[in-house]
PDB file of all heavy atoms in Angstrom:
ATOM      1  N   GLU X  13      11.461   7.657   1.358  1.00  0.00           N
ATOM      2  CA  GLU X  13      12.335   6.517   1.613  1.00  0.00           C
ATOM      3  C   GLU X  13      11.499   5.287   1.910  1.00  0.00           C
ATOM      4  O   GLU X  13      11.826   4.147   1.481  1.00  0.00           O
ATOM      5  CB  GLU X  13      13.248   6.860   2.810  1.00  0.00           C
ATOM      6  CG  GLU X  13      14.231   5.793   3.191  1.00  0.00           C
ATOM      7  CD  GLU X  13      15.111   6.131   4.391  1.00  0.00           C
ATOM      8  OE1 GLU X  13      14.969   7.287   4.848  1.00  0.00           O
ATOM      9  OE2 GLU X  13      15.923   5.338   4.763  1.00  0.00           O
ATOM     10  N   LEU X  14      10.439   5.431   2.698  1.00  0.00           N
ATOM     11  CA  LEU X  14       9.558   4.327   3.018  1.00  0.00           C
ATOM     12  C   LEU X  14       8.929   3.724   1.744  1.00  0.00           C
ATOM     13  O   LEU X  14       8.979   2.539   1.506  1.00  0.00           O
ATOM     14  CB  LEU X  14       8.474   4.755   3.944  1.00  0.00           C
ATOM     15  CG  LEU X  14       7.324   3.736   4.217  1.00  0.00           C
ATOM     16  CD1 LEU X  14       7.876   2.538   4.960  1.00  0.00           C
ATOM     17  CD2 LEU X  14       6.255   4.379   5.069  1.00  0.00           C
ATOM     18  N   PHE X  15       8.414   4.619   0.927  1.00  0.00           N
ATOM     19  CA  PHE X  15       7.751   4.124  -0.360  1.00  0.00           C
ATOM     20  C   PHE X  15       8.826   3.478  -1.246  1.00  0.00           C
ATOM     21  O   PHE X  15       8.578   2.436  -1.887  1.00  0.00           O
ATOM     22  CB  PHE X  15       7.088   5.268  -1.050  1.00  0.00           C
ATOM     23  CG  PHE X  15       5.752   5.714  -0.454  1.00  0.00           C
ATOM     24  CD1 PHE X  15       5.079   6.747  -0.971  1.00  0.00           C
ATOM     25  CD2 PHE X  15       5.277   5.044   0.673  1.00  0.00           C
ATOM     26  CE1 PHE X  15       3.817   7.123  -0.395  1.00  0.00           C
ATOM     27  CE2 PHE X  15       4.056   5.421   1.287  1.00  0.00           C
ATOM     28  CZ  PHE X  15       3.379   6.456   0.687  1.00  0.00           C
ATOM     29  N   ASP X  16       9.986   4.059  -1.364  1.00  0.00           N
ATOM     30  CA  ASP X  16      11.059   3.533  -2.213  1.00  0.00           C
ATOM     31  C   ASP X  16      11.470   2.124  -1.711  1.00  0.00           C
ATOM     32  O   ASP X  16      11.646   1.208  -2.505  1.00  0.00           O
ATOM     33  CB  ASP X  16      12.271   4.456  -2.248  1.00  0.00           C
ATOM     34  CG  ASP X  16      12.011   5.714  -3.019  1.00  0.00           C
ATOM     35  OD1 ASP X  16      11.024   5.748  -3.785  1.00  0.00           O
ATOM     36  OD2 ASP X  16      12.800   6.697  -2.923  1.00  0.00           O
ATOM     37  N   GLY X  17      11.638   2.021  -0.358  1.00  0.00           N
ATOM     38  CA  GLY X  17      11.995   0.740   0.211  1.00  0.00           C
ATOM     39  C   GLY X  17      10.938  -0.345  -0.071  1.00  0.00           C
ATOM     40  O   GLY X  17      11.285  -1.486  -0.371  1.00  0.00           O
ATOM     41  N   LEU X  18       9.704   0.043   0.022  1.00  0.00           N
ATOM     42  CA  LEU X  18       8.620  -0.878  -0.191  1.00  0.00           C
ATOM     43  C   LEU X  18       8.576  -1.286  -1.682  1.00  0.00           C
ATOM     44  O   LEU X  18       8.352  -2.437  -2.050  1.00  0.00           O
ATOM     45  CB  LEU X  18       7.264  -0.278   0.219  1.00  0.00           C
ATOM     46  CG  LEU X  18       7.056  -0.117   1.736  1.00  0.00           C
ATOM     47  CD1 LEU X  18       5.811   0.687   1.995  1.00  0.00           C
ATOM     48  CD2 LEU X  18       6.953  -1.484   2.425  1.00  0.00           C
ATOM     49  N   GLU X  19       8.830  -0.335  -2.564  1.00  0.00           N
ATOM     50  CA  GLU X  19       8.858  -0.620  -3.990  1.00  0.00           C
ATOM     51  C   GLU X  19       9.957  -1.656  -4.307  1.00  0.00           C
ATOM     52  O   GLU X  19       9.755  -2.582  -5.040  1.00  0.00           O
ATOM     53  CB  GLU X  19       9.084   0.679  -4.796  1.00  0.00           C
ATOM     54  CG  GLU X  19       7.928   1.604  -4.847  1.00  0.00           C
ATOM     55  CD  GLU X  19       6.877   1.179  -5.897  1.00  0.00           C
ATOM     56  OE1 GLU X  19       6.978   0.057  -6.403  1.00  0.00           O
ATOM     57  OE2 GLU X  19       6.007   1.968  -6.248  1.00  0.00           O
ATOM     58  N   LYS X  20      11.137  -1.410  -3.759  1.00  0.00           N
ATOM     59  CA  LYS X  20      12.254  -2.308  -4.012  1.00  0.00           C
ATOM     60  C   LYS X  20      11.984  -3.729  -3.498  1.00  0.00           C
ATOM     61  O   LYS X  20      12.417  -4.728  -4.095  1.00  0.00           O
ATOM     62  CB  LYS X  20      13.510  -1.780  -3.378  1.00  0.00           C
ATOM     63  CG  LYS X  20      14.015  -0.486  -4.087  1.00  0.00           C
ATOM     64  CD  LYS X  20      15.244   0.064  -3.353  1.00  0.00           C
ATOM     65  CE  LYS X  20      15.716   1.391  -4.000  1.00  0.00           C
ATOM     66  NZ  LYS X  20      16.842   1.993  -3.257  1.00  0.00           N
ATOM     67  N   GLY X  21      11.180  -3.795  -2.408  1.00  0.00           N
ATOM     68  CA  GLY X  21      10.860  -5.086  -1.838  1.00  0.00           C
ATOM     69  C   GLY X  21       9.624  -5.719  -2.470  1.00  0.00           C
ATOM     70  O   GLY X  21       9.145  -6.748  -1.973  1.00  0.00           O
ATOM     71  N   GLN X  22       9.107  -5.077  -3.537  1.00  0.00           N
ATOM     72  CA  GLN X  22       7.935  -5.638  -4.205  1.00  0.00           C
ATOM     73  C   GLN X  22       6.776  -5.773  -3.271  1.00  0.00           C
ATOM     74  O   GLN X  22       5.928  -6.659  -3.414  1.00  0.00           O
ATOM     75  CB  GLN X  22       8.266  -7.011  -4.866  1.00  0.00           C
ATOM     76  CG  GLN X  22       9.420  -7.067  -5.790  1.00  0.00           C
ATOM     77  CD  GLN X  22       9.093  -6.252  -7.109  1.00  0.00           C
ATOM     78  OE1 GLN X  22       8.048  -6.406  -7.643  1.00  0.00           O
ATOM     79  NE2 GLN X  22      10.036  -5.418  -7.518  1.00  0.00           N
ATOM     80  N   HIS X  23       6.677  -4.819  -2.265  1.00  0.00           N
ATOM     81  CA  HIS X  23       5.717  -4.986  -1.239  1.00  0.00           C
ATOM     82  C   HIS X  23       4.715  -3.833  -1.243  1.00  0.00           C
ATOM     83  O   HIS X  23       3.669  -3.924  -0.627  1.00  0.00           O
ATOM     84  CB  HIS X  23       6.422  -5.019   0.112  1.00  0.00           C
ATOM     85  CG  HIS X  23       5.597  -5.493   1.269  1.00  0.00           C
ATOM     86  ND1 HIS X  23       4.611  -6.469   1.098  1.00  0.00           N
ATOM     87  CD2 HIS X  23       5.592  -5.198   2.597  1.00  0.00           C
ATOM     88  CE1 HIS X  23       4.046  -6.695   2.283  1.00  0.00           C
ATOM     89  NE2 HIS X  23       4.660  -5.932   3.184  1.00  0.00           N
ATOM     90  N   LEU X  24       5.050  -2.773  -1.981  1.00  0.00           N
ATOM     91  CA  LEU X  24       4.171  -1.583  -1.902  1.00  0.00           C
ATOM     92  C   LEU X  24       2.813  -1.880  -2.483  1.00  0.00           C
ATOM     93  O   LEU X  24       1.768  -1.370  -1.970  1.00  0.00           O
ATOM     94  CB  LEU X  24       4.835  -0.415  -2.664  1.00  0.00           C
ATOM     95  CG  LEU X  24       4.086   0.902  -2.613  1.00  0.00           C
ATOM     96  CD1 LEU X  24       3.819   1.383  -1.196  1.00  0.00           C
ATOM     97  CD2 LEU X  24       4.784   1.999  -3.440  1.00  0.00           C
ATOM     98  N   HIS X  25       2.717  -2.642  -3.556  1.00  0.00           N
ATOM     99  CA  HIS X  25       1.410  -2.930  -4.193  1.00  0.00           C
ATOM    100  C   HIS X  25       0.496  -3.588  -3.191  1.00  0.00           C
ATOM    101  O   HIS X  25      -0.674  -3.242  -3.060  1.00  0.00           O
ATOM    102  CB  HIS X  25       1.622  -3.812  -5.400  1.00  0.00           C
ATOM    103  CG  HIS X  25       0.319  -4.251  -6.021  1.00  0.00           C
ATOM    104  ND1 HIS X  25      -0.430  -3.421  -6.851  1.00  0.00           N
ATOM    105  CD2 HIS X  25      -0.335  -5.450  -6.034  1.00  0.00           C
ATOM    106  CE1 HIS X  25      -1.485  -4.049  -7.243  1.00  0.00           C
ATOM    107  NE2 HIS X  25      -1.480  -5.259  -6.761  1.00  0.00           N
ATOM    108  N   ASP X  26       0.999  -4.590  -2.470  1.00  0.00           N
ATOM    109  CA  ASP X  26       0.162  -5.305  -1.488  1.00  0.00           C
ATOM    110  C   ASP X  26      -0.184  -4.386  -0.358  1.00  0.00           C
ATOM    111  O   ASP X  26      -1.282  -4.407   0.165  1.00  0.00           O
ATOM    112  CB  ASP X  26       0.915  -6.553  -0.956  1.00  0.00           C
ATOM    113  CG  ASP X  26       0.996  -7.660  -1.994  1.00  0.00           C
ATOM    114  OD1 ASP X  26       0.197  -7.672  -2.922  1.00  0.00           O
ATOM    115  OD2 ASP X  26       1.925  -8.499  -1.895  1.00  0.00           O
ATOM    116  N   PHE X  27       0.791  -3.550   0.067  1.00  0.00           N
ATOM    117  CA  PHE X  27       0.537  -2.675   1.210  1.00  0.00           C
ATOM    118  C   PHE X  27      -0.546  -1.678   0.882  1.00  0.00           C
ATOM    119  O   PHE X  27      -1.434  -1.366   1.673  1.00  0.00           O
ATOM    120  CB  PHE X  27       1.843  -1.953   1.622  1.00  0.00           C
ATOM    121  CG  PHE X  27       1.631  -0.933   2.676  1.00  0.00           C
ATOM    122  CD1 PHE X  27       1.393  -1.308   4.001  1.00  0.00           C
ATOM    123  CD2 PHE X  27       1.679   0.440   2.402  1.00  0.00           C
ATOM    124  CE1 PHE X  27       1.234  -0.387   5.006  1.00  0.00           C
ATOM    125  CE2 PHE X  27       1.489   1.356   3.410  1.00  0.00           C
ATOM    126  CZ  PHE X  27       1.271   0.995   4.737  1.00  0.00           C
ATOM    127  N   LEU X  28      -0.487  -1.090  -0.363  1.00  0.00           N
ATOM    128  CA  LEU X  28      -1.492  -0.147  -0.780  1.00  0.00           C
ATOM    129  C   LEU X  28      -2.826  -0.829  -0.976  1.00  0.00           C
ATOM    130  O   LEU X  28      -3.907  -0.225  -0.861  1.00  0.00           O
ATOM    131  CB  LEU X  28      -1.010   0.588  -2.060  1.00  0.00           C
ATOM    132  CG  LEU X  28       0.164   1.518  -1.848  1.00  0.00           C
ATOM    133  CD1 LEU X  28       0.528   2.155  -3.180  1.00  0.00           C
ATOM    134  CD2 LEU X  28      -0.131   2.573  -0.797  1.00  0.00           C
ATOM    135  N   GLY X  29      -2.811  -2.130  -1.336  1.00  0.00           N
ATOM    136  CA  GLY X  29      -4.050  -2.858  -1.403  1.00  0.00           C
ATOM    137  C   GLY X  29      -4.711  -3.012  -0.042  1.00  0.00           C
ATOM    138  O   GLY X  29      -5.915  -2.944   0.092  1.00  0.00           O
ATOM    139  N   LEU X  30      -3.869  -3.156   1.026  1.00  0.00           N
ATOM    140  CA  LEU X  30      -4.437  -3.195   2.371  1.00  0.00           C
ATOM    141  C   LEU X  30      -4.955  -1.808   2.715  1.00  0.00           C
ATOM    142  O   LEU X  30      -6.079  -1.726   3.294  1.00  0.00           O
ATOM    143  CB  LEU X  30      -3.305  -3.551   3.330  1.00  0.00           C
ATOM    144  CG  LEU X  30      -3.624  -3.543   4.808  1.00  0.00           C
ATOM    145  CD1 LEU X  30      -4.852  -4.508   5.148  1.00  0.00           C
ATOM    146  CD2 LEU X  30      -2.409  -3.900   5.672  1.00  0.00           C
ATOM    147  N   GLU X  31      -4.214  -0.736   2.379  1.00  0.00           N
ATOM    148  CA  GLU X  31      -4.690   0.641   2.708  1.00  0.00           C
ATOM    149  C   GLU X  31      -6.011   0.894   1.933  1.00  0.00           C
ATOM    150  O   GLU X  31      -6.906   1.548   2.445  1.00  0.00           O
ATOM    151  CB  GLU X  31      -3.592   1.611   2.276  1.00  0.00           C
ATOM    152  CG  GLU X  31      -3.877   3.051   2.735  1.00  0.00           C
ATOM    153  CD  GLU X  31      -4.783   3.796   1.743  1.00  0.00           C
ATOM    154  OE1 GLU X  31      -4.755   3.453   0.564  1.00  0.00           O
ATOM    155  OE2 GLU X  31      -5.488   4.685   2.201  1.00  0.00           O
ATOM    156  N   GLN X  32      -6.124   0.399   0.721  1.00  0.00           N
ATOM    157  CA  GLN X  32      -7.366   0.599  -0.061  1.00  0.00           C
ATOM    158  C   GLN X  32      -8.534  -0.117   0.599  1.00  0.00           C
ATOM    159  O   GLN X  32      -9.627   0.350   0.598  1.00  0.00           O
ATOM    160  CB  GLN X  32      -7.141   0.100  -1.463  1.00  0.00           C
ATOM    161  CG  GLN X  32      -8.375   0.373  -2.363  1.00  0.00           C
ATOM    162  CD  GLN X  32      -8.158  -0.129  -3.800  1.00  0.00           C
ATOM    163  OE1 GLN X  32      -7.083  -0.674  -4.107  1.00  0.00           O
ATOM    164  NE2 GLN X  32      -9.152   0.079  -4.647  1.00  0.00           N
ATOM    165  N   ALA X  33      -8.258  -1.349   1.100  1.00  0.00           N
ATOM    166  CA  ALA X  33      -9.352  -2.116   1.750  1.00  0.00           C
ATOM    167  C   ALA X  33      -9.871  -1.350   2.971  1.00  0.00           C
ATOM    168  O   ALA X  33     -11.075  -1.418   3.307  1.00  0.00           O
ATOM    169  CB  ALA X  33      -8.856  -3.468   2.175  1.00  0.00           C
ATOM    170  N   ILE X  34      -9.003  -0.618   3.624  1.00  0.00           N
ATOM    171  CA  ILE X  34      -9.360   0.128   4.845  1.00  0.00           C
ATOM    172  C   ILE X  34      -9.956   1.499   4.436  1.00  0.00           C
ATOM    173  O   ILE X  34     -10.991   1.907   4.986  1.00  0.00           O
ATOM    174  CB  ILE X  34      -8.154   0.339   5.737  1.00  0.00           C
ATOM    175  CG1 ILE X  34      -7.682  -1.007   6.222  1.00  0.00           C
ATOM    176  CG2 ILE X  34      -8.543   1.244   6.919  1.00  0.00           C
ATOM    177  CD1 ILE X  34      -6.315  -0.942   6.967  1.00  0.00           C
ATOM    178  N   GLY X  35      -9.324   2.231   3.540  1.00  0.00           N
ATOM    179  CA  GLY X  35      -9.623   3.614   3.288  1.00  0.00           C
ATOM    180  C   GLY X  35     -10.577   3.898   2.195  1.00  0.00           C
ATOM    181  O   GLY X  35     -11.006   5.066   2.062  1.00  0.00           O
ATOM    182  N   SER X  36     -10.902   2.974   1.303  1.00  0.00           N
ATOM    183  CA  SER X  36     -11.809   3.263   0.220  1.00  0.00           C
ATOM    184  C   SER X  36     -13.218   3.398   0.763  1.00  0.00           C
ATOM    185  O   SER X  36     -13.561   2.883   1.837  1.00  0.00           O
ATOM    186  CB  SER X  36     -11.719   2.159  -0.863  1.00  0.00           C
ATOM    187  OG  SER X  36     -12.091   0.883  -0.302  1.00  0.00           O
ATOM    188  N   PRO X  37     -14.111   4.079  -0.024  1.00  0.00           N
ATOM    189  CA  PRO X  37     -15.450   4.300   0.499  1.00  0.00           C
ATOM    190  C   PRO X  37     -16.168   3.017   0.841  1.00  0.00           C
ATOM    191  O   PRO X  37     -16.064   1.991   0.112  1.00  0.00           O
ATOM    192  CB  PRO X  37     -16.139   5.030  -0.724  1.00  0.00           C
ATOM    193  CG  PRO X  37     -15.019   5.627  -1.437  1.00  0.00           C
ATOM    194  CD  PRO X  37     -13.840   4.714  -1.299  1.00  0.00           C
ATOM    195  N   TRP X  38     -16.888   3.035   1.943  1.00  0.00           N
ATOM    196  CA  TRP X  38     -17.630   1.883   2.384  1.00  0.00           C
ATOM    197  C   TRP X  38     -19.010   1.802   1.822  1.00  0.00           C
ATOM    198  O   TRP X  38     -19.777   0.858   2.094  1.00  0.00           O
ATOM    199  CB  TRP X  38     -17.673   1.833   3.927  1.00  0.00           C
ATOM    200  CG  TRP X  38     -16.368   1.418   4.545  1.00  0.00           C
ATOM    201  CD1 TRP X  38     -15.149   1.970   4.329  1.00  0.00           C
ATOM    202  CD2 TRP X  38     -16.165   0.336   5.467  1.00  0.00           C
ATOM    203  NE1 TRP X  38     -14.191   1.308   5.052  1.00  0.00           N
ATOM    204  CE2 TRP X  38     -14.781   0.290   5.770  1.00  0.00           C
ATOM    205  CE3 TRP X  38     -16.987  -0.611   6.084  1.00  0.00           C
ATOM    206  CZ2 TRP X  38     -14.224  -0.626   6.660  1.00  0.00           C
ATOM    207  CZ3 TRP X  38     -16.433  -1.504   6.951  1.00  0.00           C
ATOM    208  CH2 TRP X  38     -15.067  -1.525   7.231  1.00  0.00           C
ATOM    209  N   SER X  39     -19.373   2.803   1.068  1.00  0.00           N
ATOM    210  CA  SER X  39     -20.745   2.877   0.514  1.00  0.00           C
ATOM    211  C   SER X  39     -20.578   2.915  -1.045  1.00  0.00           C
ATOM    212  O   SER X  39     -19.630   3.506  -1.553  1.00  0.00           O
ATOM    213  CB  SER X  39     -21.489   4.163   0.923  1.00  0.00           C
ATOM    214  OG  SER X  39     -22.684   4.290   0.162  1.00  0.00           O
TER     215      SER X  39
END
């Protein structure tokens, strides 16, 4: 439901971009 809501709000791409900035390898 959270992902679906974010998709409908055109916000999931940006949110996952934030998650990627935090969670992707630092090396």
Side-chain angles (χ1 to χ4, degrees):
E13 182 180 358
L14 172 63
F15 285 179
D16 288 345
L18 289 171
E19 286 279 14
K20 291 176 183 176
Q22 304 292 314
H23 195 32
L24 183 59
H25 176 77
D26 288 338
F27 176 72
L28 292 179
L30 175 61
E31 189 276 332
Q32 182 180 2
I34 297 170
S36 60
W38 285 54
S39 170

